[in-house]
Amino acid sequence: MTLDVLICSHDKGIVRISDIFLPPHKDVRYVVSYQYSDERYLELIPQDLLSREDVAFHKYPGKGLSANRNLALAQATADLVMYADDDSRLLDNTFEVAFSTFEKHPELDIACFQASTYTGKMLKDYPSTFSPLTTVPKEYNVSTIEMVFRRDKVQDTIHFDERFGLGTKFLTCGEEEIWFKDALQAGLSIAYFPTKIVETSMMLKRALLYVEAGVQRSYGAISYYNYGKKAWWHCFKFAITSACKGYCHFVPFMRHLAEGIRFMERTQ
């Protein structure tokens, strides 16, 4: 099997790209999708990035992480695909874990693994045992950098919703949860493996639910995606409960949830 590592970067993030690369592997290629908001950022592209034979480099004017991930996947050609952000660090055994997992599980379409910070702290409270995933996990959210999947099962089938994610001003997160649900609804075989494959400096946006309006709007939008009109009642109960626990003030919290619901009603 072969593997494409899809690396999405924007503006100044391109200077960190070289830290992601591992020594050349005969079955691995890196696909870099670089978005830039001004042509002056093109001067920051590292020369060693352009000189590596195992790197395919593509640049696009614009921004939006979901759009960038879709652009990167369109360039993939390998049997297996995984995403990496420009602050990701792959492990020495990442590729072997990916290959061996799909060799041992030929029925598998998407494998979900673990991630940690650079200091080794696990990014989430992951389960300790293997499990098939037939619903969106309630204990933790699956992140894009934790997944490896078969290209032919996802390419041209599952896309990141470009209304959501970093680089947007309104719905600043939630694209991963929607992508995962779409994969489940498409009937893809998904399983979780308690093995770490990547390190990152990222902060989980969902942890800012009671801090950022964009995250609150995203929660409302996701609720509408999941429940339709029932999202109003779902978000109302959530806002009441959160306010009673002292996590937020009901009126502004519910207002932002409602803005997310209305946005989805307008754009569906």
mmCIF file with all atom_site columns, all heavy atoms in Angstrom, residues 140-164:
data_model
loop_
_atom_site.group_PDB
_atom_site.id
_atom_site.type_symbol
_atom_site.label_atom_id
_atom_site.label_alt_id
_atom_site.label_comp_id
_atom_site.label_asym_id
_atom_site.label_entity_id
_atom_site.label_seq_id
_atom_site.pdbx_PDB_ins_code
_atom_site.Cartn_x
_atom_site.Cartn_y
_atom_site.Cartn_z
_atom_site.occupancy
_atom_site.B_iso_or_equiv
_atom_site.pdbx_formal_charge
_atom_site.auth_seq_id
_atom_site.auth_comp_id
_atom_site.auth_asym_id
_atom_site.auth_atom_id
_atom_site.pdbx_PDB_model_num
ATOM 1   N N   . TYR A 1 140 ? -15.573 11.818 23.440 1.00 0.00 ? 140 TYR A N   1
ATOM 2   C CA  . TYR A 1 140 ? -14.545 12.672 22.856 1.00 0.00 ? 140 TYR A CA  1
ATOM 3   C C   . TYR A 1 140 ? -14.888 12.918 21.396 1.00 0.00 ? 140 TYR A C   1
ATOM 4   O O   . TYR A 1 140 ? -15.650 12.170 20.786 1.00 0.00 ? 140 TYR A O   1
ATOM 5   C CB  . TYR A 1 140 ? -13.162 12.027 22.965 1.00 0.00 ? 140 TYR A CB  1
ATOM 6   C CG  . TYR A 1 140 ? -12.997 10.779 22.119 1.00 0.00 ? 140 TYR A CG  1
ATOM 7   C CD1 . TYR A 1 140 ? -12.335 10.816 20.896 1.00 0.00 ? 140 TYR A CD1 1
ATOM 8   C CD2 . TYR A 1 140 ? -13.530 9.558  22.526 1.00 0.00 ? 140 TYR A CD2 1
ATOM 9   C CE1 . TYR A 1 140 ? -12.201 9.685  20.112 1.00 0.00 ? 140 TYR A CE1 1
ATOM 10  C CE2 . TYR A 1 140 ? -13.412 8.421  21.751 1.00 0.00 ? 140 TYR A CE2 1
ATOM 11  C CZ  . TYR A 1 140 ? -12.748 8.488  20.550 1.00 0.00 ? 140 TYR A CZ  1
ATOM 12  O OH  . TYR A 1 140 ? -12.626 7.367  19.768 1.00 0.00 ? 140 TYR A OH  1
ATOM 13  N N   . ASN A 1 141 ? -14.352 13.989 20.830 1.00 0.00 ? 141 ASN A N   1
ATOM 14  C CA  . ASN A 1 141 ? -14.554 14.288 19.419 1.00 0.00 ? 141 ASN A CA  1
ATOM 15  C C   . ASN A 1 141 ? -13.360 13.792 18.609 1.00 0.00 ? 141 ASN A C   1
ATOM 16  O O   . ASN A 1 141 ? -12.215 14.000 19.010 1.00 0.00 ? 141 ASN A O   1
ATOM 17  C CB  . ASN A 1 141 ? -14.722 15.796 19.220 1.00 0.00 ? 141 ASN A CB  1
ATOM 18  C CG  . ASN A 1 141 ? -15.981 16.330 19.869 1.00 0.00 ? 141 ASN A CG  1
ATOM 19  O OD1 . ASN A 1 141 ? -17.059 15.790 19.670 1.00 0.00 ? 141 ASN A OD1 1
ATOM 20  N ND2 . ASN A 1 141 ? -15.837 17.375 20.668 1.00 0.00 ? 141 ASN A ND2 1
ATOM 21  N N   . VAL A 1 142 ? -13.616 13.159 17.504 1.00 0.00 ? 142 VAL A N   1
ATOM 22  C CA  . VAL A 1 142 ? -12.549 12.683 16.638 1.00 0.00 ? 142 VAL A CA  1
ATOM 23  C C   . VAL A 1 142 ? -11.967 13.862 15.855 1.00 0.00 ? 142 VAL A C   1
ATOM 24  O O   . VAL A 1 142 ? -12.703 14.622 15.224 1.00 0.00 ? 142 VAL A O   1
ATOM 25  C CB  . VAL A 1 142 ? -13.058 11.610 15.660 1.00 0.00 ? 142 VAL A CB  1
ATOM 26  C CG1 . VAL A 1 142 ? -11.950 11.194 14.701 1.00 0.00 ? 142 VAL A CG1 1
ATOM 27  C CG2 . VAL A 1 142 ? -13.582 10.397 16.432 1.00 0.00 ? 142 VAL A CG2 1
ATOM 28  N N   . SER A 1 143 ? -10.657 14.035 15.912 1.00 0.00 ? 143 SER A N   1
ATOM 29  C CA  . SER A 1 143 ? -9.980  15.111 15.183 1.00 0.00 ? 143 SER A CA  1
ATOM 30  C C   . SER A 1 143 ? -9.437  14.583 13.858 1.00 0.00 ? 143 SER A C   1
ATOM 31  O O   . SER A 1 143 ? -9.073  13.407 13.743 1.00 0.00 ? 143 SER A O   1
ATOM 32  C CB  . SER A 1 143 ? -8.832  15.687 16.016 1.00 0.00 ? 143 SER A CB  1
ATOM 33  O OG  . SER A 1 143 ? -9.309  16.276 17.208 1.00 0.00 ? 143 SER A OG  1
ATOM 34  N N   . THR A 1 144 ? -9.336  15.461 12.894 1.00 0.00 ? 144 THR A N   1
ATOM 35  C CA  . THR A 1 144 ? -8.884  15.067 11.559 1.00 0.00 ? 144 THR A CA  1
ATOM 36  C C   . THR A 1 144 ? -7.486  14.462 11.590 1.00 0.00 ? 144 THR A C   1
ATOM 37  O O   . THR A 1 144 ? -7.211  13.483 10.887 1.00 0.00 ? 144 THR A O   1
ATOM 38  C CB  . THR A 1 144 ? -8.900  16.287 10.623 1.00 0.00 ? 144 THR A CB  1
ATOM 39  O OG1 . THR A 1 144 ? -10.201 16.868 10.646 1.00 0.00 ? 144 THR A OG1 1
ATOM 40  C CG2 . THR A 1 144 ? -8.547  15.898 9.204  1.00 0.00 ? 144 THR A CG2 1
ATOM 41  N N   . ILE A 1 145 ? -6.580  15.029 12.390 1.00 0.00 ? 145 ILE A N   1
ATOM 42  C CA  . ILE A 1 145 ? -5.196  14.554 12.413 1.00 0.00 ? 145 ILE A CA  1
ATOM 43  C C   . ILE A 1 145 ? -5.060  13.182 13.053 1.00 0.00 ? 145 ILE A C   1
ATOM 44  O O   . ILE A 1 145 ? -3.983  12.592 13.005 1.00 0.00 ? 145 ILE A O   1
ATOM 45  C CB  . ILE A 1 145 ? -4.269  15.554 13.122 1.00 0.00 ? 145 ILE A CB  1
ATOM 46  C CG1 . ILE A 1 145 ? -4.705  15.766 14.585 1.00 0.00 ? 145 ILE A CG1 1
ATOM 47  C CG2 . ILE A 1 145 ? -4.219  16.869 12.364 1.00 0.00 ? 145 ILE A CG2 1
ATOM 48  C CD1 . ILE A 1 145 ? -3.727  16.583 15.399 1.00 0.00 ? 145 ILE A CD1 1
ATOM 49  N N   . GLU A 1 146 ? -6.126  12.659 13.641 1.00 0.00 ? 146 GLU A N   1
ATOM 50  C CA  . GLU A 1 146 ? -6.084  11.332 14.269 1.00 0.00 ? 146 GLU A CA  1
ATOM 51  C C   . GLU A 1 146 ? -6.501  10.222 13.305 1.00 0.00 ? 146 GLU A C   1
ATOM 52  O O   . GLU A 1 146 ? -6.422  9.047  13.657 1.00 0.00 ? 146 GLU A O   1
ATOM 53  C CB  . GLU A 1 146 ? -7.025  11.298 15.484 1.00 0.00 ? 146 GLU A CB  1
ATOM 54  C CG  . GLU A 1 146 ? -6.661  12.268 16.588 1.00 0.00 ? 146 GLU A CG  1
ATOM 55  C CD  . GLU A 1 146 ? -7.783  12.471 17.584 1.00 0.00 ? 146 GLU A CD  1
ATOM 56  O OE1 . GLU A 1 146 ? -8.918  11.983 17.335 1.00 0.00 ? 146 GLU A OE1 1
ATOM 57  O OE2 . GLU A 1 146 ? -7.541  13.130 18.609 1.00 0.00 ? 146 GLU A OE2 1
ATOM 58  N N   . MET A 1 147 ? -6.935  10.582 12.119 1.00 0.00 ? 147 MET A N   1
ATOM 59  C CA  . MET A 1 147 ? -7.529  9.599  11.211 1.00 0.00 ? 147 MET A CA  1
ATOM 60  C C   . MET A 1 147 ? -6.601  9.193  10.073 1.00 0.00 ? 147 MET A C   1
ATOM 61  O O   . MET A 1 147 ? -5.807  9.986  9.577  1.00 0.00 ? 147 MET A O   1
ATOM 62  C CB  . MET A 1 147 ? -8.810  10.158 10.593 1.00 0.00 ? 147 MET A CB  1
ATOM 63  C CG  . MET A 1 147 ? -9.897  10.496 11.582 1.00 0.00 ? 147 MET A CG  1
ATOM 64  S SD  . MET A 1 147 ? -11.461 10.945 10.747 1.00 0.00 ? 147 MET A SD  1
ATOM 65  C CE  . MET A 1 147 ? -10.951 12.349 9.753  1.00 0.00 ? 147 MET A CE  1
ATOM 66  N N   . VAL A 1 148 ? -6.736  7.936  9.647  1.00 0.00 ? 148 VAL A N   1
ATOM 67  C CA  . VAL A 1 148 ? -6.163  7.442  8.397  1.00 0.00 ? 148 VAL A CA  1
ATOM 68  C C   . VAL A 1 148 ? -7.309  6.725  7.682  1.00 0.00 ? 148 VAL A C   1
ATOM 69  O O   . VAL A 1 148 ? -8.071  5.989  8.305  1.00 0.00 ? 148 VAL A O   1
ATOM 70  C CB  . VAL A 1 148 ? -4.996  6.464  8.641  1.00 0.00 ? 148 VAL A CB  1
ATOM 71  C CG1 . VAL A 1 148 ? -4.411  6.005  7.307  1.00 0.00 ? 148 VAL A CG1 1
ATOM 72  C CG2 . VAL A 1 148 ? -3.921  7.104  9.511  1.00 0.00 ? 148 VAL A CG2 1
ATOM 73  N N   . PHE A 1 149 ? -7.437  6.941  6.367  1.00 0.00 ? 149 PHE A N   1
ATOM 74  C CA  . PHE A 1 149 ? -8.561  6.323  5.668  1.00 0.00 ? 149 PHE A CA  1
ATOM 75  C C   . PHE A 1 149 ? -8.180  5.900  4.261  1.00 0.00 ? 149 PHE A C   1
ATOM 76  O O   . PHE A 1 149 ? -7.164  6.334  3.709  1.00 0.00 ? 149 PHE A O   1
ATOM 77  C CB  . PHE A 1 149 ? -9.772  7.266  5.623  1.00 0.00 ? 149 PHE A CB  1
ATOM 78  C CG  . PHE A 1 149 ? -9.489  8.634  5.058  1.00 0.00 ? 149 PHE A CG  1
ATOM 79  C CD1 . PHE A 1 149 ? -9.520  8.860  3.682  1.00 0.00 ? 149 PHE A CD1 1
ATOM 80  C CD2 . PHE A 1 149 ? -9.207  9.703  5.891  1.00 0.00 ? 149 PHE A CD2 1
ATOM 81  C CE1 . PHE A 1 149 ? -9.282  10.114 3.156  1.00 0.00 ? 149 PHE A CE1 1
ATOM 82  C CE2 . PHE A 1 149 ? -8.968  10.973 5.377  1.00 0.00 ? 149 PHE A CE2 1
ATOM 83  C CZ  . PHE A 1 149 ? -9.008  11.180 4.008  1.00 0.00 ? 149 PHE A CZ  1
ATOM 84  N N   . ARG A 1 150 ? -9.012  5.011  3.697  1.00 0.00 ? 150 ARG A N   1
ATOM 85  C CA  . ARG A 1 150 ? -8.812  4.563  2.327  1.00 0.00 ? 150 ARG A CA  1
ATOM 86  C C   . ARG A 1 150 ? -9.300  5.669  1.376  1.00 0.00 ? 150 ARG A C   1
ATOM 87  O O   . ARG A 1 150 ? -10.453 6.093  1.444  1.00 0.00 ? 150 ARG A O   1
ATOM 88  C CB  . ARG A 1 150 ? -9.582  3.270  2.064  1.00 0.00 ? 150 ARG A CB  1
ATOM 89  C CG  . ARG A 1 150 ? -9.092  2.085  2.899  1.00 0.00 ? 150 ARG A CG  1
ATOM 90  C CD  . ARG A 1 150 ? -9.761  0.797  2.464  1.00 0.00 ? 150 ARG A CD  1
ATOM 91  N NE  . ARG A 1 150 ? -9.498  -0.273 3.404  1.00 0.00 ? 150 ARG A NE  1
ATOM 92  C CZ  . ARG A 1 150 ? -8.411  -1.050 3.385  1.00 0.00 ? 150 ARG A CZ  1
ATOM 93  N NH1 . ARG A 1 150 ? -7.499  -0.852 2.446  1.00 0.00 ? 150 ARG A NH1 1
ATOM 94  N NH2 . ARG A 1 150 ? -8.239  -1.996 4.283  1.00 0.00 ? 150 ARG A NH2 1
ATOM 95  N N   . ARG A 1 151 ? -8.425  6.094  0.509  1.00 0.00 ? 151 ARG A N   1
ATOM 96  C CA  . ARG A 1 151 ? -8.752  7.214  -0.372 1.00 0.00 ? 151 ARG A CA  1
ATOM 97  C C   . ARG A 1 151 ? -9.987  6.942  -1.227 1.00 0.00 ? 151 ARG A C   1
ATOM 98  O O   . ARG A 1 151 ? -10.868 7.796  -1.370 1.00 0.00 ? 151 ARG A O   1
ATOM 99  C CB  . ARG A 1 151 ? -7.561  7.536  -1.283 1.00 0.00 ? 151 ARG A CB  1
ATOM 100 C CG  . ARG A 1 151 ? -7.832  8.676  -2.269 1.00 0.00 ? 151 ARG A CG  1
ATOM 101 C CD  . ARG A 1 151 ? -6.692  8.838  -3.262 1.00 0.00 ? 151 ARG A CD  1
ATOM 102 N NE  . ARG A 1 151 ? -6.398  7.605  -3.979 1.00 0.00 ? 151 ARG A NE  1
ATOM 103 C CZ  . ARG A 1 151 ? -7.087  7.175  -5.034 1.00 0.00 ? 151 ARG A CZ  1
ATOM 104 N NH1 . ARG A 1 151 ? -8.124  7.880  -5.497 1.00 0.00 ? 151 ARG A NH1 1
ATOM 105 N NH2 . ARG A 1 151 ? -6.763  6.046  -5.631 1.00 0.00 ? 151 ARG A NH2 1
ATOM 106 N N   . ASP A 1 152 ? -10.069 5.744  -1.802 1.00 0.00 ? 152 ASP A N   1
ATOM 107 C CA  . ASP A 1 152 ? -11.160 5.468  -2.733 1.00 0.00 ? 152 ASP A CA  1
ATOM 108 C C   . ASP A 1 152 ? -12.523 5.412  -2.054 1.00 0.00 ? 152 ASP A C   1
ATOM 109 O O   . ASP A 1 152 ? -13.552 5.438  -2.724 1.00 0.00 ? 152 ASP A O   1
ATOM 110 C CB  . ASP A 1 152 ? -10.896 4.182  -3.517 1.00 0.00 ? 152 ASP A CB  1
ATOM 111 C CG  . ASP A 1 152 ? -10.816 2.943  -2.630 1.00 0.00 ? 152 ASP A CG  1
ATOM 112 O OD1 . ASP A 1 152 ? -10.758 3.098  -1.393 1.00 0.00 ? 152 ASP A OD1 1
ATOM 113 O OD2 . ASP A 1 152 ? -10.802 1.828  -3.172 1.00 0.00 ? 152 ASP A OD2 1
ATOM 114 N N   . LYS A 1 153 ? -12.544 5.326  -0.719 1.00 0.00 ? 153 LYS A N   1
ATOM 115 C CA  . LYS A 1 153 ? -13.806 5.306  0.011  1.00 0.00 ? 153 LYS A CA  1
ATOM 116 C C   . LYS A 1 153 ? -14.281 6.711  0.391  1.00 0.00 ? 153 LYS A C   1
ATOM 117 O O   . LYS A 1 153 ? -15.462 6.899  0.718  1.00 0.00 ? 153 LYS A O   1
ATOM 118 C CB  . LYS A 1 153 ? -13.661 4.460  1.283  1.00 0.00 ? 153 LYS A CB  1
ATOM 119 C CG  . LYS A 1 153 ? -13.389 2.994  1.033  1.00 0.00 ? 153 LYS A CG  1
ATOM 120 C CD  . LYS A 1 153 ? -14.578 2.316  0.344  1.00 0.00 ? 153 LYS A CD  1
ATOM 121 C CE  . LYS A 1 153 ? -14.348 0.827  0.205  1.00 0.00 ? 153 LYS A CE  1
ATOM 122 N NZ  . LYS A 1 153 ? -15.534 0.140  -0.391 1.00 0.00 ? 153 LYS A NZ  1
ATOM 123 N N   . VAL A 1 154 ? -13.384 7.671  0.370  1.00 0.00 ? 154 VAL A N   1
ATOM 124 C CA  . VAL A 1 154 ? -13.710 9.017  0.861  1.00 0.00 ? 154 VAL A CA  1
ATOM 125 C C   . VAL A 1 154 ? -13.649 10.070 -0.245 1.00 0.00 ? 154 VAL A C   1
ATOM 126 O O   . VAL A 1 154 ? -14.513 10.935 -0.338 1.00 0.00 ? 154 VAL A O   1
ATOM 127 C CB  . VAL A 1 154 ? -12.764 9.413  2.010  1.00 0.00 ? 154 VAL A CB  1
ATOM 128 C CG1 . VAL A 1 154 ? -12.989 10.860 2.425  1.00 0.00 ? 154 VAL A CG1 1
ATOM 129 C CG2 . VAL A 1 154 ? -12.954 8.483  3.204  1.00 0.00 ? 154 VAL A CG2 1
ATOM 130 N N   . GLN A 1 155 ? -12.634 9.994  -1.091 1.00 0.00 ? 155 GLN A N   1
ATOM 131 C CA  . GLN A 1 155 ? -12.457 11.000 -2.147 1.00 0.00 ? 155 GLN A CA  1
ATOM 132 C C   . GLN A 1 155 ? -13.693 11.070 -3.041 1.00 0.00 ? 155 GLN A C   1
ATOM 133 O O   . GLN A 1 155 ? -14.227 10.059 -3.471 1.00 0.00 ? 155 GLN A O   1
ATOM 134 C CB  . GLN A 1 155 ? -11.218 10.661 -2.980 1.00 0.00 ? 155 GLN A CB  1
ATOM 135 C CG  . GLN A 1 155 ? -10.708 11.792 -3.852 1.00 0.00 ? 155 GLN A CG  1
ATOM 136 C CD  . GLN A 1 155 ? -9.427  11.382 -4.562 1.00 0.00 ? 155 GLN A CD  1
ATOM 137 O OE1 . GLN A 1 155 ? -9.372  10.343 -5.226 1.00 0.00 ? 155 GLN A OE1 1
ATOM 138 N NE2 . GLN A 1 155 ? -8.391  12.198 -4.436 1.00 0.00 ? 155 GLN A NE2 1
ATOM 139 N N   . ASP A 1 156 ? -14.166 12.275 -3.291 1.00 0.00 ? 156 ASP A N   1
ATOM 140 C CA  . ASP A 1 156 ? -15.359 12.529 -4.112 1.00 0.00 ? 156 ASP A CA  1
ATOM 141 C C   . ASP A 1 156 ? -16.648 12.056 -3.444 1.00 0.00 ? 156 ASP A C   1
ATOM 142 O O   . ASP A 1 156 ? -17.708 12.052 -4.088 1.00 0.00 ? 156 ASP A O   1
ATOM 143 C CB  . ASP A 1 156 ? -15.248 11.860 -5.495 1.00 0.00 ? 156 ASP A CB  1
ATOM 144 C CG  . ASP A 1 156 ? -14.048 12.358 -6.279 1.00 0.00 ? 156 ASP A CG  1
ATOM 145 O OD1 . ASP A 1 156 ? -13.731 13.554 -6.177 1.00 0.00 ? 156 ASP A OD1 1
ATOM 146 O OD2 . ASP A 1 156 ? -13.414 11.536 -6.979 1.00 0.00 ? 156 ASP A OD2 1
ATOM 147 N N   . THR A 1 157 ? -16.572 11.665 -2.165 1.00 0.00 ? 157 THR A N   1
ATOM 148 C CA  . THR A 1 157 ? -17.759 11.185 -1.461 1.00 0.00 ? 157 THR A CA  1
ATOM 149 C C   . THR A 1 157 ? -18.034 11.996 -0.202 1.00 0.00 ? 157 THR A C   1
ATOM 150 O O   . THR A 1 157 ? -19.153 12.468 0.010  1.00 0.00 ? 157 THR A O   1
ATOM 151 C CB  . THR A 1 157 ? -17.600 9.699  -1.082 1.00 0.00 ? 157 THR A CB  1
ATOM 152 O OG1 . THR A 1 157 ? -17.364 8.931  -2.261 1.00 0.00 ? 157 THR A OG1 1
ATOM 153 C CG2 . THR A 1 157 ? -18.851 9.181  -0.384 1.00 0.00 ? 157 THR A CG2 1
ATOM 154 N N   . ILE A 1 158 ? -17.019 12.135 0.648  1.00 0.00 ? 158 ILE A N   1
ATOM 155 C CA  . ILE A 1 158 ? -17.158 12.866 1.910  1.00 0.00 ? 158 ILE A CA  1
ATOM 156 C C   . ILE A 1 158 ? -16.328 14.139 1.833  1.00 0.00 ? 158 ILE A C   1
ATOM 157 O O   . ILE A 1 158 ? -15.130 14.080 1.513  1.00 0.00 ? 158 ILE A O   1
ATOM 158 C CB  . ILE A 1 158 ? -16.695 12.025 3.114  1.00 0.00 ? 158 ILE A CB  1
ATOM 159 C CG1 . ILE A 1 158 ? -17.316 10.620 3.076  1.00 0.00 ? 158 ILE A CG1 1
ATOM 160 C CG2 . ILE A 1 158 ? -17.047 12.738 4.416  1.00 0.00 ? 158 ILE A CG2 1
ATOM 161 C CD1 . ILE A 1 158 ? -18.804 10.587 3.183  1.00 0.00 ? 158 ILE A CD1 1
ATOM 162 N N   . HIS A 1 159 ? -16.931 15.269 2.124  1.00 0.00 ? 159 HIS A N   1
ATOM 163 C CA  . HIS A 1 159 ? -16.233 16.548 2.076  1.00 0.00 ? 159 HIS A CA  1
ATOM 164 C C   . HIS A 1 159 ? -16.398 17.291 3.400  1.00 0.00 ? 159 HIS A C   1
ATOM 165 O O   . HIS A 1 159 ? -17.379 17.076 4.122  1.00 0.00 ? 159 HIS A O   1
ATOM 166 C CB  . HIS A 1 159 ? -16.772 17.423 0.950  1.00 0.00 ? 159 HIS A CB  1
ATOM 167 C CG  . HIS A 1 159 ? -16.659 16.819 -0.413 1.00 0.00 ? 159 HIS A CG  1
ATOM 168 N ND1 . HIS A 1 159 ? -17.643 16.020 -0.956 1.00 0.00 ? 159 HIS A ND1 1
ATOM 169 C CD2 . HIS A 1 159 ? -15.672 16.877 -1.342 1.00 0.00 ? 159 HIS A CD2 1
ATOM 170 C CE1 . HIS A 1 159 ? -17.275 15.619 -2.154 1.00 0.00 ? 159 HIS A CE1 1
ATOM 171 N NE2 . HIS A 1 159 ? -16.088 16.117 -2.422 1.00 0.00 ? 159 HIS A NE2 1
ATOM 172 N N   . PHE A 1 160 ? -15.453 18.146 3.712  1.00 0.00 ? 160 PHE A N   1
ATOM 173 C CA  . PHE A 1 160 ? -15.595 19.032 4.859  1.00 0.00 ? 160 PHE A CA  1
ATOM 174 C C   . PHE A 1 160 ? -16.554 20.162 4.487  1.00 0.00 ? 160 PHE A C   1
ATOM 175 O O   . PHE A 1 160 ? -16.433 20.760 3.411  1.00 0.00 ? 160 PHE A O   1
ATOM 176 C CB  . PHE A 1 160 ? -14.243 19.601 5.283  1.00 0.00 ? 160 PHE A CB  1
ATOM 177 C CG  . PHE A 1 160 ? -13.382 18.614 6.022  1.00 0.00 ? 160 PHE A CG  1
ATOM 178 C CD1 . PHE A 1 160 ? -12.417 17.886 5.347  1.00 0.00 ? 160 PHE A CD1 1
ATOM 179 C CD2 . PHE A 1 160 ? -13.549 18.399 7.378  1.00 0.00 ? 160 PHE A CD2 1
ATOM 180 C CE1 . PHE A 1 160 ? -11.631 16.958 6.011  1.00 0.00 ? 160 PHE A CE1 1
ATOM 181 C CE2 . PHE A 1 160 ? -12.774 17.471 8.050  1.00 0.00 ? 160 PHE A CE2 1
ATOM 182 C CZ  . PHE A 1 160 ? -11.813 16.751 7.377  1.00 0.00 ? 160 PHE A CZ  1
ATOM 183 N N   . ASP A 1 161 ? -17.498 20.435 5.358  1.00 0.00 ? 161 ASP A N   1
ATOM 184 C CA  . ASP A 1 161 ? -18.479 21.498 5.141  1.00 0.00 ? 161 ASP A CA  1
ATOM 185 C C   . ASP A 1 161 ? -17.765 22.837 5.290  1.00 0.00 ? 161 ASP A C   1
ATOM 186 O O   . ASP A 1 161 ? -17.331 23.200 6.391  1.00 0.00 ? 161 ASP A O   1
ATOM 187 C CB  . ASP A 1 161 ? -19.616 21.372 6.158  1.00 0.00 ? 161 ASP A CB  1
ATOM 188 C CG  . ASP A 1 161 ? -20.797 22.275 5.832  1.00 0.00 ? 161 ASP A CG  1
ATOM 189 O OD1 . ASP A 1 161 ? -20.564 23.401 5.348  1.00 0.00 ? 161 ASP A OD1 1
ATOM 190 O OD2 . ASP A 1 161 ? -21.943 21.868 6.083  1.00 0.00 ? 161 ASP A OD2 1
ATOM 191 N N   . GLU A 1 162 ? -17.643 23.565 4.199  1.00 0.00 ? 162 GLU A N   1
ATOM 192 C CA  . GLU A 1 162 ? -16.828 24.772 4.195  1.00 0.00 ? 162 GLU A CA  1
ATOM 193 C C   . GLU A 1 162 ? -17.486 25.960 4.883  1.00 0.00 ? 162 GLU A C   1
ATOM 194 O O   . GLU A 1 162 ? -16.901 27.036 4.968  1.00 0.00 ? 162 GLU A O   1
ATOM 195 C CB  . GLU A 1 162 ? -16.433 25.113 2.747  1.00 0.00 ? 162 GLU A CB  1
ATOM 196 C CG  . GLU A 1 162 ? -15.554 24.021 2.140  1.00 0.00 ? 162 GLU A CG  1
ATOM 197 C CD  . GLU A 1 162 ? -15.113 24.310 0.720  1.00 0.00 ? 162 GLU A CD  1
ATOM 198 O OE1 . GLU A 1 162 ? -15.279 25.469 0.260  1.00 0.00 ? 162 GLU A OE1 1
ATOM 199 O OE2 . GLU A 1 162 ? -14.591 23.386 0.069  1.00 0.00 ? 162 GLU A OE2 1
ATOM 200 N N   . ARG A 1 163 ? -18.691 25.766 5.413  1.00 0.00 ? 163 ARG A N   1
ATOM 201 C CA  . ARG A 1 163 ? -19.304 26.797 6.249  1.00 0.00 ? 163 ARG A CA  1
ATOM 202 C C   . ARG A 1 163 ? -18.687 26.805 7.648  1.00 0.00 ? 163 ARG A C   1
ATOM 203 O O   . ARG A 1 163 ? -18.846 27.775 8.387  1.00 0.00 ? 163 ARG A O   1
ATOM 204 C CB  . ARG A 1 163 ? -20.808 26.556 6.364  1.00 0.00 ? 163 ARG A CB  1
ATOM 205 C CG  . ARG A 1 163 ? -21.579 26.706 5.058  1.00 0.00 ? 163 ARG A CG  1
ATOM 206 C CD  . ARG A 1 163 ? -23.024 26.283 5.219  1.00 0.00 ? 163 ARG A CD  1
ATOM 207 N NE  . ARG A 1 163 ? -23.156 24.863 5.502  1.00 0.00 ? 163 ARG A NE  1
ATOM 208 C CZ  . ARG A 1 163 ? -24.327 24.237 5.672  1.00 0.00 ? 163 ARG A CZ  1
ATOM 209 N NH1 . ARG A 1 163 ? -25.458 24.928 5.564  1.00 0.00 ? 163 ARG A NH1 1
ATOM 210 N NH2 . ARG A 1 163 ? -24.381 22.941 5.916  1.00 0.00 ? 163 ARG A NH2 1
ATOM 211 N N   . PHE A 1 164 ? -17.995 25.713 8.000  1.00 0.00 ? 164 PHE A N   1
ATOM 212 C CA  . PHE A 1 164 ? -17.450 25.527 9.344  1.00 0.00 ? 164 PHE A CA  1
ATOM 213 C C   . PHE A 1 164 ? -15.924 25.556 9.322  1.00 0.00 ? 164 PHE A C   1
ATOM 214 O O   . PHE A 1 164 ? -15.296 25.250 8.310  1.00 0.00 ? 164 PHE A O   1
ATOM 215 C CB  . PHE A 1 164 ? -17.881 24.169 9.913  1.00 0.00 ? 164 PHE A CB  1
ATOM 216 C CG  . PHE A 1 164 ? -19.348 24.030 10.191 1.00 0.00 ? 164 PHE A CG  1
ATOM 217 C CD1 . PHE A 1 164 ? -20.246 23.790 9.167  1.00 0.00 ? 164 PHE A CD1 1
ATOM 218 C CD2 . PHE A 1 164 ? -19.835 24.115 11.481 1.00 0.00 ? 164 PHE A CD2 1
ATOM 219 C CE1 . PHE A 1 164 ? -21.601 23.642 9.412  1.00 0.00 ? 164 PHE A CE1 1
ATOM 220 C CE2 . PHE A 1 164 ? -21.187 23.963 11.753 1.00 0.00 ? 164 PHE A CE2 1
ATOM 221 C CZ  . PHE A 1 164 ? -22.070 23.734 10.719 1.00 0.00 ? 164 PHE A CZ  1
#
